[in-house]
Amino acid sequence: MRASSATAKMKDVVKMERESVIPILKPRLVMKLAYLIEQPEDRTEFMKLCKRIEYTIRAWYLLQFEDLMQLYNLFNPINGNEKLEQQNLRSDEIVVLEQNFLTYFFEVMEKSNFKIVTDREINVAHFGQYLLNLPITVDESKLDKNLFSRYFKEHPHENLPEFSDKYIIFRRGIGVDRATDYFVMEKLDMLIARFWKRLLRSTKLEKRMSTKPSLRAKKDLKKTDKTTAEIEGQEDMFMERIQLQNMELNMQNLLGKITIQEPTFDRMIIVYRRATKNDKKDRGIYVKQFKDIPMADMELVLPEKKNPSLTPMDWVKFLSSVIVGLVTLVSSLEMPKADIWVVIAILSGVVGYCAKIYFTFQQNLVTYQNLITKSMYDKQLDSGRGTLLHLCDDVIQQEVKEVIVSYYILMEQGKATIEELDFRCEELIKEEFGSQCNFDVHDAVQKLEKLGIVSRDTIGRIMCVPLKRANDILGTTTEEVVMKARQTPTA
């Protein structure tokens, strides 16, 4: 990925790990693989096998998903409390049901290849700037801290973020978001900031007003900033950020449109519970799903956000600039030969910097409100029961695709070790569909063995049974019986 001429020489790139999600729709996957089979009769048998694999895997998960949905009915924020009262359960019994729901839920998230957002990813989000340029914080007093604390005490996880006792954010899938606009206020803000910086240097006040960069920012820069040579040959593992703050503004891009770019998470799901405000405990568990969230704007999905305001650092800069400017101005006026241009420059700098802080905040506040509205209407996919139903179906689709790809490779290319099968599956997806993923070969082989359509030879290599034999082993499914009954004309 090459940077435009407007970007700085040092690229700002973010390391992204390849995920286990197969980013191909199942109908397209099945039709493409069937098309690659030469013999028409084998093609027909393969299509039948794919359907039977899906019907069988769906039946495996049916009971587990039913338990998940039944438990969520008791903790639905809309009417869950009423259903709990009807059950007349003790407090300790309700806690057990809560933990059972979370256990099922985390299993589904793992099967769907969702991962918990880490502190490092949150730090990258805080350090980067894209469309959201305001510090967003969570009102932790409005969030329950007991629900997840109990769960993670019984089910320890590695690399949990510091906020894991209050809410959990899951993410999956990688994408890129680009925004093209004139960015008038942002460019003006940058020009004022650069003018102010030059003024401080010329008046030798920079050292007095400079602040040390945060350790977290330095740490993130080491992790995210790479030169072109360092990422060459690893483009699939790194994604470039193109930010306005790093651009060299010339007359062409200063007056015209420019394009900025930020890596995104294709799907994000947040789970939390609100704190109880009165004696009646609120047991509702909120589950919300979002799409295409830029990494630098990850704060958009946070729950119970505080209204943004000027930060303490903004007030420090504001007041310190006024004080230093006034002191310098008075000192200049007390000189025997006061230079009027120096006085004008100091006043212009102070007024300009104060205006910059105020107008930048107002512009960012408008942008924040627009982004919140957009995230609610455009980027929020679903919540509650709708999100859980989507996750359950997503688990089935991913499992089916993994099994179909693995069986196809064994059928066409013969027996293979687990490592060879993993490599061949990833190459097939890359060559035939132009996509890349970290294929979950171990899970796929376990499913194939459970279905009884693969076996291992004496040295551990995996081999599949012939197509017709595989269809006989799976047998006629209930869905096929129903479809046949529908096609039979009634008397």
Side-chain angles (χ1 to χ4, degrees), residues 248-300:
E248 297 177 359
L249 294 181
N250 51 39
M251 290 303 297
Q252 180 179 357
N253 54 42
L254 183 62
L255 300 178
K257 290 184 176 182
I258 58 175
T259 299
I260 57 177
Q261 174 178 296
E262 177 71 14
T264 64
F265 290 125
D266 183 59
R267 293 289 184 271
M268 297 195 78
I269 293 178
I270 183 168
V271 188
Y272 64 96
R273 168 183 280 169
R274 289 176 178 169
T276 301
K277 298 181 180 180
N278 46 43
D279 296 335
K280 187 177 180 180
K281 187 171 180 60
D282 184 7
R283 297 284 186 174
I285 299 176
Y286 292 82
V287 182
K288 297 183 179 180
Q289 181 178 199
F290 300 84
K291 67 174 183 178
D292 302 329
I293 301 296
M295 286 187 64
D297 295 347
M298 196 188 302
E299 296 93 338
L300 289 172

Side-chain angles (χ1 to χ4, degrees), residues 37 55 69 106 122 161 179 191 207 212 214 246 306 341 357 372 402 423 434 459 473 478:
I37 299 175
Y55 296 151
M69 301 308 298
F106 274 82
I122 292 293
L191 290 174
K207 293 183 179 180
K212 295 181 179 180
S214 64
N246 299 330
K306 294 180 180 179
W341 294 109
I357 295 175
I372 289 295
E402 290 172 359
F423 175 77
I459 60 174
I473 291 173
T478 304

Side-chain angles (χ1 to χ4, degrees), residues 19 79 93 99 136 141 159 166 170 182 212 230-231 240 247 252 271 277 289-290 296 302 331 354 363 368 371 472:
E19 297 182 305
N79 55 9
E93 293 175 329
Q99 298 306 304
I136 306 301
S141 64
N159 299 322
K166 295 172 284 291
F170 296 89
Y182 289 100
K212 295 181 179 180
E230 288 176 316
I231 66 173
E240 182 184 359
M247 290 185 178
Q252 180 179 357
V271 188
K277 298 181 180 180
Q289 181 178 199
F290 300 84
L302 295 177
S331 300
C354 295
Q363 176 65 22
Y368 167 74
L371 288 173
D472 291 339

